[in-house]
Amino acid sequence: MRRLKVFVLCLMAFCILLLRHHYQVLYNRLGVRDLQAASAKFKALRYFWTLTTSTNLSEPRGYQHNQNGRWTGHGNEDQRGDEPAAPTDQDTVTFTLPDPTGPSGELHKRSFLLRDDATQFFVRTKSGATCFREGTDMAFLKVGERVQQTGVGWHKILHFPQEEMKRDQGQSSLGKSLANCTCRPGWHGPHCGIPTMIQHSNLPSKWRLMPRKVPRRVINAININHEFDLLHARFHELADAVDVFLVCESNFTAYGSPKPLHFLHFLLNGTYNYMRHKILYIFLDHFPKGGQQNGWIADDYLRTFLSYDGMSRVKGVRPDDVFLINDADEIPAREGILFLKLYDGWTEPVSIHMRKSLYGFFWKQPGTLDILSACTVAMLFSVYNRDGISLRRREYFTMPGFRAYEKKNGQILLKWSIGSPIHYAGWHCSWCFSPEGIYYKLISAQNGDFPRWGDYAEKRDLNYIKNLIRTGGWFDGSVGQYPHTEHKEHMYAPKYMLNNPQRYKYMLENPYAKKH
């Protein structure tokens, strides 16, 4: 009898856990959380019904093709259940790019051919060890072959001799070393290729990490408004880790107001010539319907269009290449992205712990920004339906294709994070502009993240903004508690900024702090 009671109790506990799991999955499915938070108006229910019954796997969720082949929204339905206003003429405003017969042609229609990275990042020693050059103490490294010197770049990488490449041709990775390498501080593993931010991460499969024979290609997708100083820092930080940058610019702000194409201008005048060979320009020439009434429609659509248009123009993609999507104020550290490029054995999707700061790196905020940012191209297409915003905001287990992808991939999907709350793997610098740049961000902000401070004239006053930068205060009148920071602290700011202190002085030091 006692055994029967124990059995019944265990069965009940199992059923409760099972129901809880299914509820969590249903709770996270598209629209349920928004529906719970919305009012009980019939229009909110109608929106949910339309969204969940009209999904087409070949198109961005929530949008459909019009006669011109563009993606448009369902119309006036509001994700949050608020009564939408009538659409404006700006929903259909378009913009014409420079003359396609000119020297630059139609940049927004060009394709980009991914090629294998000819640079090899490991070297074979006489003792049989395969060592990551950057992480290996070269004083103890006896190289068995002559090392080919690399060209321009602040990272000098060792090359494999051609004989070694041919000998390894049939292998999926470089294999285990017979002898370990001697690692420099900050690097770990038998090959000295595991950075500290990976070593101290929650990656569940560290035991099976192996260097790849051929590096993955990394595709970094970002939307740009006016974050040009941060963009320079990104390009320099990720120069040898990323193979192509998908940079999307629109002639509309996130609010729906027309704006000039500043990034295109800089791209054409040579400002980004040092990275031009890795940039694929994405042009969004329209504003989605309903985006002015519900800013989250516009916010999501920017990333949806970026990933759809961008990935359709990248040629030669392999399923195990890496897709990385960031906001312009999120800069991943090179070491973490290079790890994804060079190693097999990690699971997906991948988030990144980023150091948080406000107005500049001098106001360091508590905790980290840990947001889903990367997965393989195979997962992007099979699970997230090519939609970058789904990667950032949707739990993978709520996506209809994740079970089939797991089965095909032969392993369980497990989310993990590069870095940890105390081991930063990137930087999130929020509102890091001059006062004029913050003003522009205020008036450009989408109409959904309320309160929308750009609607208040006193919040747009430059002297008011300068005082916020000086004190670290927020637009609601509060002042945060910030820990003391110094330039010398680890991961204070991206290396390019620290190496160019005059250019980035307004981000590295509080320009309005009272001098003692």
Side-chain angles (χ1 to χ4, degrees):
M1 189 65 181
R2 183 176 180 182
R3 290 182 179 179
L4 182 60
K5 289 182 178 179
V6 172
F7 174 75
V8 171
L9 288 174
C10 291
L11 186 62
M12 291 175 62
F14 175 76
C15 291
I16 291 172
L17 290 174
L18 190 63
L19 287 171
R20 182 180 178 184
H21 170 74
H22 283 292
Y23 172 77
Q24 184 181 19
V25 172
L26 289 173
Y27 180 77
N28 282 280
R29 284 199 182 275
L30 183 62
V32 172
R33 281 176 292 186
D34 289 338
L35 186 61
Q36 286 183 335
S39 67
K41 294 180 181 180
F42 178 77
K43 180 165 285 189
L45 182 59
R46 186 185 65 175
Y47 167 74
F48 174 71
W49 177 257
T50 303
L51 193 62
T52 55
T53 57
S54 63
T55 300
N56 187 320
L57 293 180
S58 65
E59 298 176 354
R61 184 168 283 107
Y63 296 90
Q64 58 190 11
H65 288 283
N66 62 17
Q67 294 178 348
N68 297 324
R70 292 179 182 156
W71 293 322
T72 59
H74 288 300
N76 295 334
E77 288 82 5
D78 187 343
Q79 289 181 338
R80 301 201 169 195
D82 297 327
E83 194 70 31
T88 67
D89 292 337
Q90 282 189 335
D91 286 334
T92 58
V93 172
T94 58
F95 185 86
T96 304
L97 284 171
D99 182 5
T101 62
S104 299
E106 294 183 296
L107 285 178
H108 65 300
K109 293 183 179 179
R110 289 183 180 178
S111 60
F112 185 97
L113 178 61
L114 274 180
R115 302 182 185 276
D116 286 333
D117 193 338
T119 303
Q120 298 297 325
F121 295 83
F122 295 86
V123 64
R124 187 70 57 86
T125 68
K126 281 185 177 180
S127 61
T130 300
C131 300
F132 180 57
R133 185 263 186 184
E134 187 178 338
T136 303
D137 191 335
M138 300 302 290
F140 294 91
L141 183 63
K142 297 180 180 179
V143 181
E145 300 283 349
R146 183 176 67 86
V147 176
Q148 179 181 351
Q149 296 298 322
T150 58
V152 181
W154 64 281
H155 294 292
K156 294 183 179 179
I157 308 300
L158 296 181
H159 289 250
F160 264 124
Q162 289 300 316
E163 305 83 72
E164 297 287 352
M165 290 296 292
K166 292 177 181 178
R167 188 164 54 202
D168 289 335
Q169 209 38 246
Q171 302 178 13
S172 60
S173 67
L174 297 177
K176 291 187 177 180
S177 302
L178 299 177
N180 285 353
C181 311
T182 303
C183 299
R184 291 174 173 171
W187 296 92
H188 312 270
H191 309 281
C192 298
I194 309 296
T196 295
M197 62 184 65
I198 302 296
Q199 183 72 9
H200 293 281
S201 71
N202 63 345
L203 175 62
S205 57
K206 293 175 188 173
W207 58 274
R208 59 187 180 94
L209 294 175
M210 292 297 296
R212 292 173 57 89
K213 179 186 66 176
V214 178
R216 290 183 174 89
R217 284 80 56 86
V218 178
I219 303 163
N220 187 198
I222 51 175
N223 291 96
I224 190 74
N225 188 32
H226 66 300
E227 304 87 354
F228 302 115
D229 281 347
L230 291 172
L231 191 62
H232 278 295
R234 172 187 300 275
F235 286 160
H236 284 87
E237 177 70 22
L238 301 176
D240 64 342
V242 169
D243 295 87
V244 58
F245 294 93
L246 310 181
V247 185
C248 182
E249 182 179 36
S250 176
N251 57 314
F252 293 98
T253 66
Y255 186 65
S257 304
K259 74 175 186 67
L261 298 175
H262 293 298
F263 177 68
L264 177 62
H265 171 74
F266 291 140
L267 199 59
L268 295 177
N269 73 7
T271 299
Y272 294 103
N273 273 358
Y274 65 93
M275 195 55 64
R276 179 78 179 265
H277 62 292
K278 286 191 175 185
I279 296 174
L280 183 64
Y281 182 72
I282 315 296
F283 176 48
L284 175 57
D285 68 343
H286 56 282
F287 194 73
K289 279 189 175 182
Q292 285 190 319
Q293 293 77 44
N294 183 354
W296 295 109
I297 292 177
D299 197 63
D300 288 3
Y301 185 67
L302 287 170
R303 295 163 182 82
T304 296
F305 183 88
L306 164 63
S307 54
Y308 266 70
D309 186 79
M311 291 304 294
S312 71
R313 292 163 52 200
V314 178
K315 308 303 179 183
V317 177
R318 290 195 293 260
D320 64 347
D321 289 335
V322 177
F323 178 79
L324 170 69
I325 186 168
N326 304 119
D327 285 349
D329 58 2
E330 302 165 1
I331 303 177
R334 167 188 176 269
E335 292 80 3
I337 306 307
L338 197 61
F339 164 81
L340 299 180
K341 183 185 182 81
L342 299 180
Y343 271 82
D344 277 331
W346 46 269
T347 64
E348 55 183 331
V350 184
S351 63
I352 303 174
H353 280 284
M354 295 189 177
R355 179 190 190 272
K356 294 195 303 181
S357 52
L358 181 66
Y359 305 132
F361 298 96
F362 44 85
W363 290 125
K364 176 183 174 183
Q365 296 177 308
T368 60
L369 176 73
D370 183 25
I371 189 165
L372 280 168
S373 305
C375 67
T376 62
V377 169
M379 186 174 187
L380 176 69
F381 278 68
S382 301
V383 178
Y384 295 115
N385 190 32
R386 296 185 295 153
D387 193 350
I389 193 62
S390 293
L391 168 61
R392 285 179 67 89
R393 293 187 181 170
R394 295 284 305 280
E395 295 287 359
Y396 65 88
F397 55 78
T398 69
M399 303 299 291
F402 97 95
R403 287 292 187 195
Y405 179 72
E406 275 189 334
K407 185 176 181 180
K408 182 179 179 181
N409 205 34
Q411 65 179 18
I412 298 175
L413 297 180
L414 290 172
K415 171 188 171 296
W416 67 285
S417 302
I418 301 177
S420 73
I422 59 174
H423 295 92
Y424 302 135
W427 302 266
H428 176 234
C429 199
S430 184
W431 296 80
C432 291
F433 301 101
S434 65
E436 293 77 13
I438 292 177
Y439 171 88
Y440 189 71
K441 182 177 174 71
L442 285 170
I443 63 174
S444 301
Q446 52 110 323
N447 190 35
D449 193 5
F450 298 113
R452 187 178 183 273
W453 299 113
D455 292 335
Y456 302 88
E458 65 274 15
K459 306 297 183 182
R460 302 193 301 265
D461 182 76
L462 291 182
N463 289 325
Y464 174 82
I465 294 172
K466 290 176 183 178
N467 189 60
L468 290 182
I469 297 174
R470 181 181 67 83
T471 62
W474 187 239
F475 293 94
D476 62 1
S478 63
V479 178
Q481 297 296 321
Y482 303 99
H484 178 70
T485 59
E486 293 184 0
H487 289 185
K488 295 181 180 180
E489 76 174 44
H490 183 58
M491 296 290 288
Y492 179 80
K495 290 178 279 291
Y496 179 72
M497 291 185 171
L498 295 174
N499 293 335
N500 294 271
Q502 290 305 313
R503 175 173 184 171
Y504 290 98
K505 187 174 183 180
Y506 74 98
M507 287 193 201
L508 300 175
E509 300 177 9
N510 192 334
Y512 306 106
K514 294 180 179 179
K515 305 297 181 182
H516 297 287

